[in-house]
Amino acid sequence: MNGSGANLAGCASCEGRCCREYNVHVTIADVRRLAAGMALHPREFVYLKEGKEEDNSDFRFKPGGPLHDLHLLHRPVTKGCVFLMEIAPGKARCGAYVHRPIVCATFPTSLAQGSVGIREKTLCGGPDSWNLATMDLPAYRRDIARNRAAWSEHLRMAREWNARVDASARPATEEQLYDFILAAETSEDAEQADRSAQASS
């Protein structure tokens, strides 16, 4: 579902295809935002998927072991994201919209040579569903930049986690990774703290 700008035709007629067919790879900042905003533990909405070294996967649990990425869970029956709400036949909406991953907030856009454009193969809507003239392009550009920064920070924190694992004599567990994620302070947390301090002064 799009996050920035007008309620565009592609999302106004949402059937939740992107939430069913995409495998959403999330950042530490996404997980922390969803956990806090939805009052859930990460194990309730993410799963770890083993990747390949060449895929730049993220977290390992034993020295030299395989790497794993964080992805949003899908419900077995509907095949939709764990946060997808079925509101009527053929109609769906995001149940975590305010706290959704940044990649969802930037959908269906991408940034190429500084210009916001529509991704190819958006899965939903027709050829005229996404009209750049009706979209809040500065907001999309801001969110794409935020997403890139979040991934940079995520990969730095994954390197920190993996260094700990490589230095340990015992394998780590998923629960330990979730504790690490929930205890981490991200730049998003610092920005929120700054906004709160400004609001109270």
Side-chain angles (χ1 to χ4, degrees), residues 53 58-67 158-172:
E53 290 282 350
D58 304 332
F59 304 100
R60 72 173 82 251
F61 292 94
K62 59 182 180 180
L67 293 164
R159 287 191 297 270
E160 179 184 332
W161 165 265
N162 290 336
R164 291 184 188 184
V165 169
D166 289 341
S168 175
R170 293 184 179 179

Side-chain angles (χ1 to χ4, degrees), residues 6 12 44 46 55 58 72 76 97 108 117-118 138 145 152 165 181 193 198 200:
E44 297 177 87
V46 295
D55 292 338
D58 304 332
L72 288 183
Y97 190 77
I118 304 300
S152 178
V165 169
I181 288 170
Q198 289 171 5
S200 64

Side-chain angles (χ1 to χ4, degrees), residues 16-148:
R17 283 193 66 194
C18 58
C19 306
R20 296 180 214 282
E21 298 183 38
Y22 289 133
N23 193 4
V24 182
H25 186 184
V26 292
T27 67
I28 286 175
D30 291 328
V31 172
R32 288 175 52 76
R33 187 181 331 102
L34 283 162
M38 302 300 290
L40 296 171
H41 190 277
R43 78 174 81 84
E44 297 177 87
F45 60 88
V46 295
Y47 72 97
L48 287 148
K49 179 182 177 185
E50 186 175 327
K52 300 175 181 175
E53 290 282 350
E54 58 267 27
D55 292 338
N56 294 317
S57 296
D58 304 332
F59 304 100
R60 72 173 82 251
F61 292 94
K62 59 182 180 180
L67 293 164
H68 298 76
D69 298 321
L70 294 163
H71 294 264
L72 288 183
L73 282 171
H74 281 241
R75 296 184 189 277
V77 175
T78 65
K79 308 300 183 194
C81 166
V82 67
F83 295 115
L84 184 66
M85 298 186 312
E86 313 284 345
I87 58 174
K91 296 288 181 189
R93 293 293 183 267
C94 177
Y97 190 77
V98 174
H99 313 293
R100 69 203 179 284
I102 302 176
V103 69
C104 300
T106 64
F107 185 83
T109 62
S110 63
L111 194 62
Q113 299 177 341
S115 296
V116 175
I118 304 300
R119 298 169 42 161
E120 293 182 15
K121 301 178 184 176
T122 61
L123 295 180
C124 39
D128 298 322
S129 293
W130 311 108
N131 183 347
L132 288 173
T134 68
M135 298 167 72
D136 185 350
L137 299 184
Y140 276 104
R141 185 176 290 107
R142 177 204 65 215
D143 287 346
I144 290 169
R146 284 179 57 218
N147 193 34
R148 289 179 175 176

